[in-house]
Amino acid sequence: MLIEYGNTVVVPAWELIEEVPTGYSRIYYVTEGDVIYEAADARRHLTPGRLYVLPSTIPYHVWRENGQDFACTYLHVDFPKYRVNGLIELQVEEGTCLYDFIGAVMKAIREERIGLLEQMAENFSWFLNGNEHFIQNSVMLNKVQKYIVKHISEEMTIENMSQLFGYHPNYFIRLFRQETGYTPYQYIVQMRMQYAVIQLNKGLPNDEVCYACGYTDSSTFTRAFRKYYGVAPQKYRKGYRKP
């Protein structure tokens, strides 16, 4: 599922501090600059000419090095049936399929071909198959994800979900966290916020986005959105995008 996209040069104060796993992967093709990625298991410079897939299941910190401009093409993608449990780095060599693919992504972003971008985001997993950090979800997790997506506009409780899938609530939470790095409740919030961004990018009014994401009033939705993204939905709609 494509959540966000862009060709951009980040603002001077740009920094990512993800204290909780995002549930989706940021994909960067770096065209200029030098930034540092740091997580519990790795510290790496992200350099031009390479493509990076950031993890969906562990916290991380990314910041600009020495005040250099950081220019990149980026996608935020929630891969169906897969999760990313570590930083993936790919060399993008001229004349290869990956090089042409990234070029097509850049052009699709410039032309605002959103439907095409969504299809390309889904197909990107072909370049990651076989990587040690690109992990296929369990049958249980796939079922839970499908359930949440189908019922995203409805009230969901851990008790009902665990009973539906045949687990004790405490065991269900522990099992889910072992596989994803976060709780089912955190995952539901993540999915709702990601779905909200998709709907905002389509131009839907705030009230419609609020109810579509399972919130009963706009003030509660706005508080949740601001807590997750750092800005209100109205500001996000006016062009705020964080690579």
Side-chain angles (χ1 to χ4, degrees):
M1 177 175 67
L2 178 65
I3 303 165
E4 268 294 4
Y5 56 89
N7 298 314
T8 190
V9 178
V10 302
V11 298
W14 178 85
E15 184 179 21
L16 299 175
I17 303 176
E18 299 293 358
E19 298 178 345
V20 176
T22 59
Y24 65 89
S25 285
R26 288 181 168 95
I27 300 172
Y28 293 148
Y29 174 61
V30 183
T31 55
E32 181 183 354
D34 184 12
V35 300
I36 296 177
Y37 162 91
E38 187 174 62
D41 62 340
R43 179 185 172 95
R44 195 81 56 82
H45 285 260
L46 309 188
T47 57
R50 293 178 179 268
L51 186 140
Y52 299 90
V53 183
L54 277 59
S56 61
T57 64
I58 61 173
Y60 56 81
H61 181 197
V62 186
W63 67 97
R64 295 192 346 168
E65 174 74 344
N66 299 324
Q68 298 182 50
D69 284 342
F70 173 49
C72 67
T73 293
Y74 70 92
L75 302 173
H76 295 178
V77 180
D78 185 1
F79 293 106
K81 300 182 180 180
Y82 290 90
R83 63 192 187 278
V84 180
N85 67 359
L87 180 67
I88 297 175
E89 179 179 356
L90 301 175
Q91 180 67 45
V92 183
E93 298 180 352
E94 190 171 354
T96 64
C97 289
L98 182 57
Y99 180 88
D100 292 339
F101 182 86
I102 295 302
V105 168
M106 290 177 170
K107 290 181 180 179
I109 291 172
R110 287 195 294 268
E111 296 175 6
E112 287 288 317
R113 301 283 298 277
I114 310 306
L116 177 59
L117 277 173
E118 290 172 344
Q119 291 298 315
M120 296 173 82
E122 290 185 15
N123 292 330
F124 185 77
S125 60
W126 286 102
F127 294 103
L128 304 179
N129 283 332
N131 188 282
E132 63 177 334
H133 293 304
F134 194 59
I135 310 299
Q136 189 165 10
N137 293 333
S138 67
V139 174
M140 180 276 293
L141 184 56
N142 282 334
K143 289 181 178 179
V144 173
Q145 289 175 328
K146 288 180 180 179
Y147 177 84
I148 293 174
V149 169
K150 184 177 180 179
H151 299 275
I152 197 74
S153 64
E154 304 171 17
E155 181 181 359
M156 288 178 275
T157 68
I158 305 304
E159 289 74 17
N160 289 342
M161 289 176 62
S162 57
Q163 184 179 21
L164 178 65
F165 294 106
Y167 297 104
H168 185 278
N170 291 341
Y171 181 72
F172 176 63
I173 293 171
R174 185 166 66 251
L175 190 65
F176 196 93
R177 191 162 199 161
Q178 285 175 351
E179 186 164 352
T180 66
Y182 37 81
T183 67
Y185 173 77
Q186 289 172 326
Y187 184 76
I188 291 171
V189 172
Q190 290 168 354
M191 291 293 290
R192 282 178 167 159
M193 293 299 99
Q194 293 168 20
Y195 187 69
V197 163
I198 293 171
Q199 303 312 308
L200 288 170
N201 286 338
K202 290 179 178 178
L204 267 67
N206 279 11
D207 285 347
E208 288 188 27
V209 176
C210 163
Y211 299 129
C213 295
Y215 291 90
T216 56
D217 62 87
S218 58
S219 60
T220 302
F221 167 67
T222 298
R223 284 196 301 271
F225 192 95
R226 182 183 286 114
K227 181 178 179 180
Y228 193 81
Y229 286 107
V231 296
Q234 294 85 346
K235 184 175 180 180
Y236 193 99
R237 188 190 299 278
K238 291 179 180 177
Y240 174 90
R241 286 181 176 177
K242 192 168 186 176

